[in-house]
Each structure stands twice: as C-alpha cells, then as structure tokens.
C-alpha cells in the first residue's frame, strides 16, 4: 500500500480515480479551482455512510418505543404501526420502505403518524439523550457489531480527505436530525450544526431553566427526495460541490449538485457485497439508471472498498 495514498481503504479503480482527480482539480490553482467557502459536500446517511439493512438504524429505535407503548396499552395493538412493532412484523415495515421508493406513501404516512405520537411531548434534550444511549449500546441484528461499528470505513476516510482539502461536510439524511447529532461528530467528523435530517414539529415554552423545546405529534418535514435540496439551500445557502447517496430518494440532491460554471462530483453507493455487508438494489433502481445518463460515479462496495467496516471495531 502506498504510504502517500490519501484513501488507502479504497481499491484502485475508476471511483477512486474520479475522487482524487476531482479534489485535485478544484483545490489546486487553475481553471477548475473553487474557493474554500464554496467547497460544500453533502452526504446521505443510511446506506451511504453506514448500514441501513435490514432496516434503517432509527427505525429500530422507533420500533422499540412503539412496541413498549403497545405492551402498555393493548388497544394500540390493533393499529399500525404499533401492531407491526409489537408483532415484529418486518414484512409490513419492508413494504413501507419499498412502496415509499415506488412513489406510494400511504403506509409511510401511517408509520410517520405513529412516530409523531410516540414522541409527543418529549423534550429535545431528553430525545437526544435517549438516542445517544441507544446508539452507544444497541447491536446490529445480523452483523455482529454495535450500530456505531457499522459506519463504512472508506466513506469515513473520504469525509476526512474532503475536510483536509477545505470541504465543509454536511449530513443530509432521511433519519431524524436529533437522532444523528449525538454521534455525528465522533463517527463521521460532521459537527452537529451540519446535520440536516427529518424533523417532527416542535414547540417552545418558557420556563425557569432557559425554556424547553418539545416534540409535537406532527411531522415537520421528511428530509427525502425533493426536500433534500430545499433543506440544503435553507440551511447552507449553497449548492453542494460533492454529494453522495445510495437510493432513489437521493436523486434530487445529486441533481442539485450540478453547477453550470464549475465541476461537481456525484457519488452513488452500490450495495453489491453480500459477503461483507448486503447486496440489494431495491429502492435504487431509478438512481442507478440516472447515474448512467448523468455522469455520476457509481461506487461498488464489492469492487471499490478494500474494507467495509473498521477492522479495529469488530472485524
């Protein structure tokens, strides 16, 4: 291995070459140079920075809460999503995700309504504390490691490489912002203020302790699909120069990364390694087609990742 290789966990190939050449072109003096303040990078989380199978990490967190509610109140067991959570009906949950990416959000709205009800009235401080405790203790159901050990080592390395070259990295996730913020700095090197995620509606009440912000039983916004560019612009005020995703829901963000007057790098992570992680294309069919016609760089986990997980964190 080349000791001067900035991306040693990436195999030599078209994806690695595209990354290195792009960063070199926009950071060195010349026609493609981009000032530091314009070097914005945005990355999806689930399936792009860490594992999302057999379900997104936050969904596991939420289902445990819904199951607890159903165990306490038997009447909830007849209604979705409490019924699926209580009965461990993963089939219904898979349908939610599959139908969402196919454009049918009927079941997704049912799930989101349950999620909103599950955390109605909880303060943001308490929610963050519960999320942090879960993330630091819960185990992935099949990979034999904790959730914090399912970050993709090559993607974490890429984030560090971009930061070292003046990029400001942002997480743009369908998972909740408050769910990801407790671990994003240590896990991905992304500070909490650069985490953009789905949010429930919130309300503020003044009190003697500086006021309290609490969750309401209503969705603020689901940070997926067209909402991603909207939230990027709202929070950052610039188009990204680099973007990474893995699903149909990331298409608008990757499209939004195109510039008329400067180069851009769009990365689409392809899950094709059943031996080391998972192999699936469900929910990414349109993104894979778009990658061919839009000059995106497809990152094959099987071919481009020398390792997938940090070997110091469980193999």
């Amino acid at each position: 291995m080349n000791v001067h290789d900035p991306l040693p966990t990436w195999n030599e190939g078209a994806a690695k070459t595209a990354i290195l050449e792009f960063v070199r072109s926009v950071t060195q003096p010349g026609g493609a140079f981009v000032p530091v303040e314009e070097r914005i990078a945005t990355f999806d989380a689930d399936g792009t920075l860490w594992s999302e199978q057999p379900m997104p990490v936050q969904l596991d967190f939420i289902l445990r809460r819904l199951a607890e509610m159903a165990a306490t109140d038997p009447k909830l067991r007849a209604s979705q999503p409490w019924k699926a959570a209580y009965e461990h009906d993963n089939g219904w949950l898979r349908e939610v995700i599959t139908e969402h990416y196919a454009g049918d959000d009927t079941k997704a709205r049912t799930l989101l309504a349950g999620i909103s009800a599950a955390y109605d009235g909880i303060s943001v401080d308490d929610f963050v504390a519960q999320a942090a405790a879960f993330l630091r203790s819960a185990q992935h159901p099949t990979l034999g490691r904790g959730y914090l050990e399912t970050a993709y080592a090559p993607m974490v390395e890429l984030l560090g490489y971009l930061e070292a070259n003046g990029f400001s990295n942002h997480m743009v996730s369908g998972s909740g912002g408050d769910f990801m913020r407790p671990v994003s700095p240590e896990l991905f090197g992304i500070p909490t203020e650069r985490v953009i995620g789905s949010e429930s509606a919130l309300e503020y009440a003044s009190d003697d302790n500086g006021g309290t912000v609490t969750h309401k039983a209503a969705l603020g916004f689901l940070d997926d699909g067209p909402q991603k560019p909207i939230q990027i612009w709202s929070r950052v005020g610039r188009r990204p120069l680099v973007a990474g995703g893995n699903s149909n829901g990331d298409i608008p963000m990757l499209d939004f990364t195109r510039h008329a007057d400067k180069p851009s790098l769009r990365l689409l992570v392809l899950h094709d390694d059943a031996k080391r992680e998972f192999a699936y294309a469900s929910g990414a069919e349109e993104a894979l087609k778009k990658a061919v016609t839009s000059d995106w760089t497809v990152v094959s986990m099987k071919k481009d990742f020398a390792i997938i997980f940090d070997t110091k964190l469980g193999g």
Side-chain angles (χ1 to χ4, degrees), residues 63 66 79-86 92-93 110-115:
L63 291 178
L66 294 173
S79 303
Q80 297 289 18
W82 292 272
K83 184 176 187 294
Y86 185 76
W92 186 85
L93 298 167
T110 299
L111 176 61
L112 290 170
I115 293 170

Side-chain angles (χ1 to χ4, degrees), residues 22-315:
F22 172 81
V23 172
R24 189 178 302 114
S25 71
V26 300
T27 58
Q28 295 183 359
F33 178 80
V34 176
V36 170
E37 61 270 20
E38 297 180 26
R39 297 178 198 167
I40 304 298
T42 60
F43 288 87
D44 170 58
D46 300 312
T48 300
L49 297 180
W50 67 353
S51 186
E52 67 175 354
Q53 292 292 334
M55 69 180 74
V57 180
Q58 188 174 9
L59 183 55
D60 186 8
F61 173 71
I62 291 166
L63 291 178
R64 297 185 192 207
R65 169 60 182 155
L66 294 173
E68 289 174 359
M69 294 173 70
T72 302
D73 184 356
K75 291 183 293 185
L76 292 174
R77 301 173 196 172
S79 303
Q80 297 289 18
W82 292 272
K83 184 176 187 294
Y86 185 76
E87 296 176 355
H88 302 287
D89 183 2
N90 292 332
W92 186 85
L93 298 167
R94 282 193 294 271
E95 289 174 3
V96 173
I97 297 173
T98 300
E99 292 177 10
H100 166 69
Y101 284 122
D104 182 356
D105 279 338
T106 304
K107 288 187 175 69
R109 285 190 289 270
T110 299
L111 176 61
L112 290 170
I115 293 170
S116 297
Y119 293 100
D120 182 28
I122 186 174
S123 73
V124 292
D125 305 283
D126 287 343
F127 181 89
V128 167
Q130 290 180 20
F134 170 82
L135 288 167
R136 298 182 194 285
S137 63
Q139 294 287 305
H140 186 280
T142 64
L143 291 174
R145 56 180 59 230
Y147 277 127
L148 294 190
E149 299 167 354
T150 66
Y152 303 138
M155 297 303 291
V156 174
E157 187 175 72
L158 173 59
L159 291 170
Y161 174 59
L162 291 172
E163 183 179 16
N165 281 276
F167 282 82
S168 172
N169 295 324
H170 299 256
M171 180 186 294
V172 185
S173 176
S175 290
D178 283 342
F179 180 76
M180 299 298 302
R181 290 186 184 106
V183 298
S184 63
E186 67 183 84
L187 199 57
F188 302 114
I190 298 177
T192 57
E193 64 271 17
R194 295 187 196 158
V195 175
I196 303 170
S198 298
E199 304 288 352
S200 64
L202 302 172
E203 63 181 356
Y204 172 81
S206 180
D207 56 38
D208 294 335
N209 297 313
T212 301
V213 176
T214 57
H215 290 260
K216 297 173 63 177
L219 181 67
F221 60 87
L222 176 62
D223 192 43
D224 194 44
Q227 195 68 41
K228 288 195 173 188
I230 292 171
Q231 293 304 320
I232 291 169
W233 186 260
S234 176
R235 294 280 297 276
V236 184
R238 293 185 185 273
R239 286 179 183 263
L241 202 65
V242 177
N246 77 296
S247 74
N248 297 338
D250 296 316
I251 292 175
M253 177 175 69
L254 294 171
D255 276 340
F256 191 58
T257 306
R258 184 179 183 276
H259 293 255
D261 59 345
K262 58 178 68 73
S264 61
L265 178 66
R266 281 81 66 81
L267 303 174
L268 184 70
V269 176
L270 172 62
H271 292 265
D272 58 354
D273 196 326
K275 183 177 180 180
R276 296 185 299 173
E277 200 237 12
F278 301 98
Y280 61 97
S282 177
E285 300 90 346
E286 296 306 313
L288 289 167
K289 294 177 185 177
K290 183 81 172 179
V292 175
T293 60
S294 300
D295 195 30
W296 297 353
T297 298
V298 175
V299 177
S300 162
M301 295 181 73
K302 185 175 183 179
K303 296 178 181 178
D304 294 315
F305 287 179
I307 63 172
I308 290 184
F309 304 114
D310 190 334
T311 54
K312 298 189 296 294
L313 297 176

